[in-house]
Amino acid sequence: MGCGRVLDMDAEPVCLACNLALPRPLMAGQGSNAIRNIVVNGPAEPGICAAWMVYHPWSNYASIIRRTKYDHRPRTAVTLGRMYGRELLADTADLPFRFADIDVLLPIPMHWFKNLYRGFNQSEMIARGLAEVCGAEVADNLCAVRPHSTQTRLGVAKRAVNIADTMKVDHPEELDGLHIAI
């Protein structure tokens, strides 16, 4: 999906060469972490802040995300979640808080109308792949309460404004005492 190579039917959607060349950010515990700086405004101190790759819209690797999201490929999203989950298990094995310690995954919700239009929530499908690897549950406690305009061409600050007050947590008591990944 990144370079256009033809793969066997049973191969993962990202070839080995593309997987090795993905522009990976620093993982948790490896010095400065820009991802942590984005999410520290939450009500709890984040344990692991990680992303599989640095997303640059102009890169060949952006097509992996775009094709999964816009070409109706929910199974590919699950596979990508499994691939990333295997890396998270290895990369966090020696940290005080590990990916394997997560109890529940909360995918970023999609407003019901957009979900109906697209046919699936890519965040939920990726979470299902991650859950298969780490053994966590996927929950739907994080809910979209109103739609928002597309984030596609917005920078970090404008994205934060765009999604402000669009989500809520249903039944927060179900999450008490659990290690949660969003």
Side-chain angles (χ1 to χ4, degrees):
M1 290 180 71
C3 64
R5 285 184 180 95
V6 177
L7 302 173
D8 291 335
M9 290 296 291
D10 59 343
E12 291 183 332
V14 180
C15 74
L16 180 59
C18 285
N19 196 348
L20 291 173
L22 284 176
R24 288 180 170 78
L26 290 173
M27 293 297 291
Q30 296 181 352
S32 174
N33 192 332
I35 300 163
R36 178 176 291 279
N37 295 336
I38 293 169
V39 298
V40 294
N41 63 350
E45 176 65 22
I48 299 171
C49 296
W52 192 27
M53 70 175 181
V54 178
Y55 183 85
H56 298 293
W58 57 87
S59 79
N60 291 341
Y61 306 105
S63 69
I64 297 168
I65 303 301
R66 282 194 304 268
R67 290 182 64 197
T68 300
K69 186 174 175 178
Y70 298 116
D71 291 352
H72 194 77
R73 297 178 178 216
R75 288 189 320 208
T76 300
V78 172
T79 302
L80 294 173
R82 283 194 298 264
M83 291 172 69
Y84 181 40
R86 289 192 296 266
E87 288 187 33
L88 279 173
L89 281 177
D91 287 343
T92 63
D94 297 328
L95 296 177
F97 183 81
R98 301 165 313 150
F99 178 60
D101 296 331
I102 292 170
D103 299 310
V104 66
L105 295 161
L106 297 179
I108 298 297
M110 184 181 283
H111 189 263
W112 68 267
F113 187 77
K114 186 175 242 178
N115 198 352
L116 183 67
Y117 173 76
R118 187 169 295 151
F120 75 106
N121 178 349
Q122 71 278 357
S123 179
E124 178 186 348
M125 296 297 108
I126 292 169
R128 293 196 182 288
L130 288 165
E132 287 179 28
V133 173
C134 76
E137 297 292 323
V138 177
D140 61 358
N141 297 68
L142 199 53
C143 302
V145 293
R146 69 172 180 81
H148 59 79
S149 59
T150 184
Q151 302 271 85
T152 307
R153 292 177 181 84
L154 301 179
V156 173
K158 288 185 179 179
R159 284 176 182 237
V161 170
N162 190 39
I163 65 163
D165 301 319
T166 62
M167 295 175 245
K168 70 172 184 162
V169 177
D170 276 346
H171 307 289
E173 68 281 358
E174 295 175 356
L175 306 172
D176 284 347
L178 300 178
H179 290 117
I180 301 165
I182 299 173

